Amino acid sequence: NPMDVIKKYGADILRLWAVNSDFKQDMRIGDDNLKQVAEQYRKVRNTFRFMLGNLNADDFSMEKDGVSYDAMCPADQMMLVRLNEVCEDAVEAYRHYDFLSVSSTLMNFMTNELSSYYLDFTKDILYIEKKDDARRRAVQTVLWKCVDALAKLWAPSLVYTMEEVWKHFTNDEAHSIHLTEFAA
Protein backbone atom coordinates (compact mmCIF):
# COMPACT_ATOMS: atom_id res chain seq x y z
CA ASN A 1 0.00 0.00 0.00
CA PRO A 2 1.57 3.33 -1.04
CA MET A 3 0.15 5.08 2.04
CA ASP A 4 1.95 2.60 4.31
CA VAL A 5 5.21 3.25 2.45
CA ILE A 6 4.71 7.01 2.75
CA LYS A 7 4.00 6.74 6.48
CA LYS A 8 7.11 4.62 7.05
CA TYR A 9 9.60 6.20 4.61
CA GLY A 10 8.07 9.42 3.27
CA ALA A 11 6.66 10.43 -0.09
CA ASP A 12 10.03 11.35 -1.60
CA ILE A 13 11.37 7.84 -0.91
CA LEU A 14 8.40 6.36 -2.77
CA ARG A 15 8.98 8.76 -5.68
CA LEU A 16 12.69 7.92 -5.73
CA TRP A 17 11.83 4.21 -5.81
CA ALA A 18 9.50 4.88 -8.77
CA VAL A 19 12.11 6.77 -10.79
CA ASN A 20 14.72 4.13 -9.99
CA SER A 21 12.46 1.36 -11.29
CA ASP A 22 12.59 0.22 -14.88
CA PHE A 23 8.92 0.22 -15.83
CA LYS A 24 9.68 -1.96 -18.87
CA GLN A 25 10.35 -4.88 -16.53
CA ASP A 26 8.67 -6.30 -13.45
CA MET A 27 8.86 -3.73 -10.70
CA ARG A 28 9.73 -5.04 -7.27
CA ILE A 29 8.94 -3.28 -4.05
CA GLY A 30 9.59 -4.43 -0.53
CA ASP A 31 11.45 -3.47 2.60
CA ASP A 32 14.85 -4.38 1.11
CA ASN A 33 14.24 -2.25 -2.01
CA LEU A 34 12.93 0.64 0.04
CA LYS A 35 15.86 0.49 2.47
CA GLN A 36 18.27 0.75 -0.48
CA VAL A 37 16.33 3.71 -1.87
CA ALA A 38 16.23 5.31 1.58
CA GLU A 39 20.03 5.01 1.74
CA GLN A 40 20.37 6.68 -1.67
CA TYR A 41 18.02 9.43 -0.53
CA ARG A 42 20.08 9.93 2.65
CA LYS A 43 23.23 10.39 0.54
CA VAL A 44 21.53 12.99 -1.65
CA ARG A 45 20.10 14.84 1.34
CA ASN A 46 23.41 14.83 3.25
CA THR A 47 25.30 16.10 0.20
CA PHE A 48 22.87 19.00 -0.12
CA ARG A 49 23.09 19.62 3.62
CA PHE A 50 26.89 19.89 3.46
CA MET A 51 26.80 22.23 0.47
CA LEU A 52 24.11 24.45 1.97
CA GLY A 53 26.01 24.55 5.26
CA ASN A 54 28.90 26.18 3.43
CA LEU A 55 26.77 28.68 1.53
CA ASN A 56 25.46 30.74 4.43
CA ALA A 57 23.94 33.99 3.15
CA ASP A 58 25.97 35.94 5.75
CA ASP A 59 29.18 34.39 4.43
CA PHE A 60 28.72 34.01 0.65
CA SER A 61 26.83 35.91 -2.02
CA MET A 62 27.20 34.71 -5.60
CA GLU A 63 26.87 38.26 -6.93
CA LYS A 64 29.49 39.69 -4.59
CA ASP A 65 31.80 36.74 -3.84
CA GLY A 66 31.46 34.46 -6.88
CA VAL A 67 34.68 33.56 -8.69
CA SER A 68 34.95 33.44 -12.49
CA TYR A 69 35.72 30.14 -14.19
CA ASP A 70 39.07 31.45 -15.46
CA ALA A 71 40.20 32.36 -11.92
CA MET A 72 39.53 28.85 -10.57
CA CYS A 73 42.02 26.04 -10.13
CA PRO A 74 41.75 23.00 -12.45
CA ALA A 75 39.88 20.86 -9.88
CA ASP A 76 37.15 23.49 -9.53
CA GLN A 77 36.97 23.93 -13.30
CA MET A 78 36.72 20.17 -13.77
CA MET A 79 33.77 19.98 -11.38
CA LEU A 80 31.95 22.70 -13.30
CA VAL A 81 32.62 20.93 -16.60
CA ARG A 82 31.31 17.67 -15.13
CA LEU A 83 28.29 19.49 -13.68
CA ASN A 84 27.52 20.89 -17.13
CA GLU A 85 27.82 17.41 -18.70
CA VAL A 86 25.54 15.94 -16.03
CA CYS A 87 22.98 18.70 -16.62
CA GLU A 88 23.01 18.09 -20.38
CA ASP A 89 22.65 14.32 -19.89
CA ALA A 90 19.83 14.70 -17.37
CA VAL A 91 17.91 17.22 -19.48
CA GLU A 92 18.22 14.96 -22.52
CA ALA A 93 16.98 11.98 -20.48
CA TYR A 94 14.03 14.07 -19.23
CA ARG A 95 13.18 14.91 -22.84
CA HIS A 96 12.86 11.17 -23.52
CA TYR A 97 10.99 10.49 -20.25
CA ASP A 98 13.89 8.29 -19.16
CA PHE A 99 13.60 8.94 -15.44
CA LEU A 100 15.81 5.99 -14.53
CA SER A 101 18.69 7.56 -16.48
CA VAL A 102 18.07 10.94 -14.86
CA SER A 103 18.17 9.43 -11.40
CA SER A 104 21.24 7.28 -12.02
CA THR A 105 23.13 10.15 -13.69
CA LEU A 106 22.42 12.52 -10.80
CA MET A 107 23.07 9.87 -8.14
CA ASN A 108 26.38 8.77 -9.68
CA PHE A 109 27.59 12.36 -9.97
CA MET A 110 26.56 13.31 -6.45
CA THR A 111 27.95 10.23 -4.70
CA ASN A 112 31.03 9.36 -6.77
CA GLU A 113 32.35 12.67 -8.02
CA LEU A 114 30.89 15.41 -5.88
CA SER A 115 30.67 13.89 -2.40
CA SER A 116 33.40 11.24 -2.44
CA TYR A 117 35.92 13.30 -4.38
CA TYR A 118 35.37 17.04 -4.53
CA LEU A 119 33.63 17.72 -1.22
CA ASP A 120 36.00 15.37 0.59
CA PHE A 121 39.14 17.30 -0.32
CA THR A 122 37.62 20.79 -0.28
CA LYS A 123 36.17 20.55 3.23
CA ASP A 124 39.57 21.52 4.65
CA ILE A 125 39.63 24.58 2.40
CA LEU A 126 36.12 25.53 3.52
CA TYR A 127 36.82 25.03 7.23
CA ILE A 128 40.40 26.30 7.55
CA GLU A 129 40.88 29.15 5.08
CA LYS A 130 39.88 32.71 5.91
CA LYS A 131 36.34 33.72 5.11
CA ASP A 132 37.36 35.85 2.10
CA ASP A 133 40.20 33.61 0.82
CA ALA A 134 40.13 33.34 -2.99
CA ARG A 135 40.46 29.54 -2.97
CA ARG A 136 37.59 29.21 -0.49
CA ARG A 137 35.44 31.55 -2.58
CA ALA A 138 36.13 29.43 -5.68
CA VAL A 139 34.97 26.28 -3.87
CA GLN A 140 31.85 28.11 -2.64
CA THR A 141 31.14 29.21 -6.21
CA VAL A 142 31.28 25.59 -7.37
CA LEU A 143 29.00 24.54 -4.50
CA TRP A 144 26.54 27.33 -5.33
CA LYS A 145 26.35 26.25 -8.97
CA CYS A 146 25.94 22.60 -7.94
CA VAL A 147 23.08 23.34 -5.54
CA ASP A 148 21.37 25.59 -8.09
CA ALA A 149 21.50 23.02 -10.91
CA LEU A 150 21.09 19.78 -8.96
CA ALA A 151 18.12 21.00 -6.92
CA LYS A 152 16.30 21.93 -10.12
CA LEU A 153 17.13 18.59 -11.73
CA TRP A 154 16.02 16.56 -8.68
CA ALA A 155 12.85 18.65 -8.14
CA PRO A 156 10.47 16.55 -10.28
CA SER A 157 11.40 13.42 -8.29
CA LEU A 158 12.23 14.67 -4.79
CA VAL A 159 9.44 17.21 -4.62
CA TYR A 160 9.37 18.01 -0.90
CA THR A 161 13.09 17.72 -0.27
CA MET A 162 14.06 20.04 -3.12
CA GLU A 163 11.44 22.57 -2.05
CA GLU A 164 13.07 22.58 1.38
CA VAL A 165 16.57 22.87 -0.18
CA TRP A 166 15.43 25.71 -2.44
CA LYS A 167 13.86 27.74 0.34
CA HIS A 168 17.05 27.47 2.38
CA PHE A 169 19.25 28.17 -0.66
CA THR A 170 17.35 31.26 -1.82
CA ASN A 171 16.23 32.48 1.63
CA ASP A 172 12.82 33.04 0.04
CA GLU A 173 9.85 31.23 1.58
CA ALA A 174 7.45 32.50 -1.09
CA HIS A 175 9.38 31.32 -4.16
CA SER A 176 8.93 27.67 -5.13
CA ILE A 177 11.56 25.65 -6.96
CA HIS A 178 8.72 24.18 -9.01
CA LEU A 179 8.13 27.59 -10.58
CA THR A 180 11.80 28.11 -11.41
CA GLU A 181 13.15 27.78 -14.92
CA PHE A 182 16.11 25.49 -15.52
CA ALA A 183 18.84 26.90 -17.73
CA ALA A 184 21.77 24.55 -18.32
Side-chain angles (χ1 to χ4, degrees):
N1 183 349
M3 294 310 292
D4 293 339
V5 173
I6 290 170
K7 283 180 187 174
K8 185 172 182 180
Y9 294 100
D12 278 352
I13 302 290
L14 184 59
R15 284 189 184 90
L16 189 57
W17 168 82
V19 299
N20 281 325
S21 299
D22 186 358
F23 65 88
K24 297 171 193 156
Q25 299 177 3
D26 287 341
M27 296 170 58
R28 301 185 196 304
I29 189 167
D31 262 354
D32 290 341
N33 304 88
L34 292 169
K35 285 177 185 174
Q36 277 184 309
V37 172
E39 181 62 24
Q40 290 176 328
Y41 172 81
R42 187 187 62 77
K43 288 178 183 178
V44 169
R45 187 172 177 87
N46 286 344
T47 301
F48 273 109
R49 184 178 304 172
F50 177 84
M51 292 189 295
L52 289 170
N54 287 286
L55 294 173
N56 185 323
D58 298 331
D59 177 35
F60 181 80
S61 164
M62 188 61 173
E63 295 81 31
K64 184 178 67 129
D65 303 314
V67 175
S68 72
Y69 179 84
D70 294 332
M72 293 179 176
C73 78
D76 299 331
Q77 291 175 338
M78 183 207 66
M79 284 311 297
L80 291 180
V81 168
R82 281 296 300 135
L83 176 64
N84 189 54
E85 292 169 353
V86 165
C87 289
E88 288 173 357
D89 292 347
V91 168
E92 186 61 25
Y94 270 127
R95 285 191 181 114
H96 292 99
Y97 302 101
D98 188 356
F99 304 113
L100 180 58
S101 289
V102 172
S103 177
S104 62
T105 297
L106 296 177
M107 187 65 69
N108 286 336
F109 175 71
M110 288 187 75
T111 57
N112 299 333
E113 296 174 70
L114 188 58
S115 183
S116 295
Y117 168 69
Y118 187 74
L119 298 180
D120 189 49
F121 88 82
T122 59
K123 68 181 171 214
D124 291 337
I125 295 166
L126 292 165
Y127 295 154
I128 295 171
E129 296 299 333
K130 290 182 182 176
K131 184 177 176 179
D132 60 349
D133 180 75
R135 181 72 182 101
R136 185 172 183 270
R137 292 296 190 209
V139 171
Q140 287 177 306
T141 301
V142 172
L143 297 185
W144 190 96
K145 290 181 181 231
C146 285
V147 170
D148 183 58
L150 293 170
K152 291 173 185 174
L153 290 170
W154 274 117
S157 304
L158 301 177
V159 178
Y160 297 113
T161 305
M162 291 308 114
E163 189 70 31
E164 181 183 338
V165 165
W166 194 251
K167 288 186 185 318
H168 184 81
F169 180 60
T170 61
N171 291 317
D172 184 357
E173 288 292 319
H175 185 229
S176 173
I177 191 170
H178 303 292
L179 299 174
T180 303
E181 184 178 335
F182 180 79

